[in-house]
């Protein structure tokens, strides 16, 4: 028997139903890996796999007295997803609001105006990604920094490819030492396994993980400076309220941390509470824009305000609609599919092999390597479902390896998968694979540093 679903479940690991479920999962993930070649969004195959796996389970349990366990198992996994979903939805809404208000356009313009060389921009975007991702999470940070790379390097494909690889590595490394930095660290924090401050012990290993491949790749950066942008101008790109939205986002993060640490409320509740800040501020912006438009209309001969045509009006629901829904649905499919395999008993089997037979440290290093192949979300979710007995140092190690191990392949992390879509044709699976050896050196060095100092 395998634990799950609120009682003892039937062990299906050596049955036809179990083998069929594994086959469905493998086929689905193969489709995810070749997303770029088959032009099918990654959420579609995993959503299908999640549904089929639980249908197989339901059929097996139909003729038993344990039918209720299937519903309990689905509800348990759905709750896991719901917490992650709403947390990410708030973060994505804030990021989209900052994008719409021109916050990141202003960052891009300032980088270009300063006349930095390609190499300087490579390092600047990498360092910024490393230090922004602990706050804004590695996925959203990678998307923002990729926009900068695409803007300044649009005439230099090799720079875009190297810049995107560097961003994926730096964003994942920066996200590894913060509960907000990565989906995997967020899951560990929400589970209550590590306290908020404990993640910062991974700062130095994360720096090592970022610097080693960055130094190696920097020698391949083309010389010279990017050409000036045709639409570049001397005026600020930030619209009214842009920097205040940044402040409200930081306040939202503080709210989520405070709710969790002092009130012992799940962090997602603090994030949803923080969404109120943005919604109320959106109401304020609408009111101000209407007032300015009315005043402008009252002035004879005045040019019509941009806000009056509706294009620049701030609408919070537009920001929600612009969230990365494919990624959010991908997480749903992953959590339900892996949860279904766990319900069948496969995760208990894997836990026994990895953490008992191989040993804890070896298993946690292997988790990072698996993260590069299968994506770090299902791997970390599987580890959390296994709940192996480990010290805090080992939990920190698996948090590090799951976070940065995914950098070794473009499909190994949410940041990499997202950038393959955003920089389609420039940043590809094989462009990333060319530098996997350098990223692997950083991965090995970060583990050794962690074991030495933590």
């Amino acid at each position: 028997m395998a634990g799950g679903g609120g009682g003892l479940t039937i062990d299906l690991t050596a049955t036809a139903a179990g083998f069929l479920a594994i086959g469905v999962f493998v086929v689905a993930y193969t489709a995810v890996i070749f997303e770029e070649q088959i032009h099918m969004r990654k959420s579609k195959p995993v959503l299908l796999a999640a549904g089929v796996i639980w249908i197989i389970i339901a059929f097996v349990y139909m003729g038993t007295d344990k039918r209720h366990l299937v519903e309990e198992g689905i509800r348990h996994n759905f709750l896991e997803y719901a917490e992650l979903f709403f947390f990410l939805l708030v973060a994505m809404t804030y990021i989209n609001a900052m994008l719409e208000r021109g916050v990141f356009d202003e960052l891009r313009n300032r980088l270009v105006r300063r006349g930095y060389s390609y190499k300087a921009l490579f390092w600047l975007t990498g360092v910024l990604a490393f230090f922004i991702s602990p706050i804004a999470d590695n996925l959203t940070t990678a998307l923002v920094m990729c926009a900068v790379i695409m803007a300044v390097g649009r005439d230099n494909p090799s720079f875009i490819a190297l810049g995107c690889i560097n961003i994926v590595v730096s964003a994942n490394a920066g996200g590894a030492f913060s509960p907000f930095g990565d989906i995997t660290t967020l899951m560990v924090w929400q589970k209550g396994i590590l306290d908020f401050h404990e993640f910062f012990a991974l700062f130095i290993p994360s720096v090592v993980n970022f610097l080693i491949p960055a130094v190696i790749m920097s020698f391949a950066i083309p010389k010279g400076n990017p050409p000036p942008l045709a639409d570049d101008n001397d005026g600020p790109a930030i619209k009214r309220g842009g920097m205040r939205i940044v402040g409200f986002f930081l306040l939202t993060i503080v709210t989520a941390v405070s709710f969790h640490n002092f009130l012992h409320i799940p962090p997602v509740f603090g994030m949803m509470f923080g969404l109120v800040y943005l919604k109320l501020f959106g109401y304020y912006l609408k009111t101000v824009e209407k007032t300015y438009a009315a005043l402008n209309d009252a002035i004879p001969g005045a040019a019509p305000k941009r806000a009056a045509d509706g294009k620049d009006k701030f609408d919070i629901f537009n920001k929600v609609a612009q969230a990365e829904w494919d990624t959010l649905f991908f997480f749903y499919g992953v959590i339900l599919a892996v949860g279904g395999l766990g319900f069948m008993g496969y995760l208990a089997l894997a836990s026994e092999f990895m953490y008992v037979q191989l040993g804890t440290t070896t298993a946690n290093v292997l988790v990072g390597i698996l993260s590069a192949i299968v994506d770090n979300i299902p791997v970390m979710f599987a580890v959390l479902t296994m709940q192996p007995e480990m010290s805090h140092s080992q939990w920190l190690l698996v948090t590090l390896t799951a976070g940065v191990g995914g950098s070794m392949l473009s499909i190994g992390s949410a940041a990499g998968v997202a950038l393959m879509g955003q920089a389609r044709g420039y940043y590809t699976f094989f462009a990333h694979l060319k530098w996997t050896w350098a990223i692997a050196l950083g991965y090995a060095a970060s583990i050794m540093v962690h074991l030495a100092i933590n």
Side-chain angles (χ1 to χ4, degrees):
M1 298 294 185
L8 291 177
T9 59
I10 303 171
D11 186 352
L12 301 177
T13 55
T15 66
F19 297 145
L20 178 59
I22 288 289
V24 168
F25 186 78
V26 169
V27 170
Y29 247 91
T30 302
V32 172
I33 292 171
F34 291 99
E35 175 189 10
E36 185 181 337
Q37 284 75 27
I38 63 177
H39 305 293
M40 178 187 288
R41 289 187 177 272
K42 61 186 179 295
S43 62
K44 295 178 182 180
V46 291
L47 282 171
L48 178 62
V52 170
I53 288 170
W54 280 102
I55 289 170
I56 293 170
I57 294 171
F59 269 112
V60 172
Y61 278 73
M62 192 177 293
T64 71
D65 60 352
K66 298 176 179 289
R67 292 190 300 272
H68 65 285
L69 294 181
V70 178
E71 181 180 351
E72 291 176 16
I74 292 175
R75 288 184 183 278
H76 171 76
N77 285 282
F78 193 83
L79 179 61
E80 295 270 0
Y81 170 71
E83 288 194 24
L84 183 64
F85 171 83
F86 284 108
F87 193 103
L88 290 175
L89 186 64
V90 174
M92 288 178 176
T93 301
Y94 264 104
I95 294 298
N96 284 324
M98 286 185 264
L99 283 167
E100 188 272 341
R101 290 285 103 178
V103 172
F104 299 112
D105 288 337
E106 179 65 13
L107 173 62
R108 179 202 68 182
N109 290 347
R110 290 190 180 188
L111 289 173
V112 174
R113 288 186 196 126
R114 291 180 180 273
Y116 291 122
S117 65
Y118 282 117
K119 184 165 289 190
L121 286 166
F122 172 85
W123 280 106
L124 275 171
T125 52
V127 170
L128 284 171
F130 183 84
F131 285 104
I132 294 175
S133 61
I135 301 171
D137 89 62
N138 59 354
L139 172 60
T140 50
T141 300
L143 290 171
V144 169
M145 289 296 107
C146 181
V148 175
I149 288 289
M150 292 288 288
V152 300
R154 54 191 174 186
D155 298 322
N156 198 318
S158 63
F159 170 71
I160 293 177
L162 286 168
C164 287
I165 297 169
N166 188 46
I167 287 169
V168 170
V169 175
S170 59
N172 286 340
F177 69 88
S178 165
F180 290 89
D182 188 20
I183 309 302
T184 54
T185 58
L186 178 61
M187 289 192 294
V188 173
W189 183 44
Q190 288 193 144
K191 275 280 190 179
I193 293 172
L194 296 173
D195 292 331
F196 183 82
H197 67 276
E198 290 183 279
F199 289 90
F200 297 104
L202 294 175
F203 176 75
I204 295 177
S206 296
V207 169
V208 171
N209 182 268
F210 157 55
L211 283 180
I212 289 178
V215 169
I216 295 172
M217 288 189 294
S218 67
F219 291 104
I221 297 295
K223 296 179 180 179
N225 291 31
L229 295 178
D231 60 349
D232 190 28
N233 56 67
D234 295 328
I238 300 180
K239 299 176 187 176
R240 184 182 294 112
M243 292 311 297
R244 279 174 283 180
I245 290 177
V246 175
F248 284 128
F249 182 49
L250 295 176
L251 180 60
T252 297
I253 291 175
V254 172
T255 301
V257 174
S258 299
F259 277 25
H260 182 67
N261 287 352
F262 303 118
L263 301 180
H264 306 292
I265 293 175
V268 64
F269 187 82
M271 290 295 286
M272 291 300 293
F273 190 85
L275 184 61
V276 175
Y277 308 152
L278 185 60
K279 289 176 73 68
L280 292 176
F281 186 64
Y283 173 78
Y284 163 78
L285 282 178
K286 280 186 177 181
T287 304
V288 169
E289 287 169 350
K290 286 180 181 178
T291 302
Y292 272 83
L295 289 172
N296 188 74
D297 291 341
I299 301 173
K305 298 290 284 184
R306 288 188 303 166
D309 64 7
K311 292 181 180 178
D312 286 344
K313 285 185 177 178
F314 185 86
D315 188 340
I316 183 64
F317 292 105
N318 283 342
K319 309 302 163 281
V320 175
Q322 291 163 6
E324 184 57 50
W325 288 100
D326 184 59
T327 300
L328 292 172
F329 286 133
F330 172 73
F331 292 154
Y332 169 85
V334 164
I335 288 176
L336 268 292
V338 173
L341 296 179
F343 192 89
M344 288 180 158
Y346 283 109
L347 295 187
L349 204 64
S351 180
E352 168 68 22
F353 171 72
M354 291 175 62
Y355 286 96
V356 176
Q357 296 185 33
L358 296 181
T360 306
T361 301
T362 304
N364 287 335
V365 173
L366 182 61
V367 162
I369 297 172
L370 289 174
S371 294
I373 303 169
V374 187
D375 185 275
N376 57 0
I377 306 300
V379 174
M380 178 54 87
F381 184 72
V383 173
L384 291 172
T385 305
M386 295 175 197
Q387 282 283 356
E389 288 291 332
M390 294 193 294
S391 66
H392 272 211
S393 176
Q394 288 293 339
W395 275 110
L396 283 170
L397 176 60
V398 74
T399 301
L400 174 70
T401 57
V404 303
S407 299
M408 287 187 281
L409 294 177
S410 62
I411 58 170
S413 67
V417 173
L419 261 59
M420 281 197 295
Q422 190 175 10
R424 192 178 299 275
Y426 296 98
Y427 173 62
T428 64
F429 176 85
F430 293 103
H432 192 110
L433 187 65
K434 180 181 176 181
W435 295 97
T436 293
W437 65 273
I439 301 168
L441 287 177
Y443 176 73
S446 65
I447 292 171
M448 290 187 284
V449 169
H450 168 70
L451 294 175
I453 68 174
N454 290 326

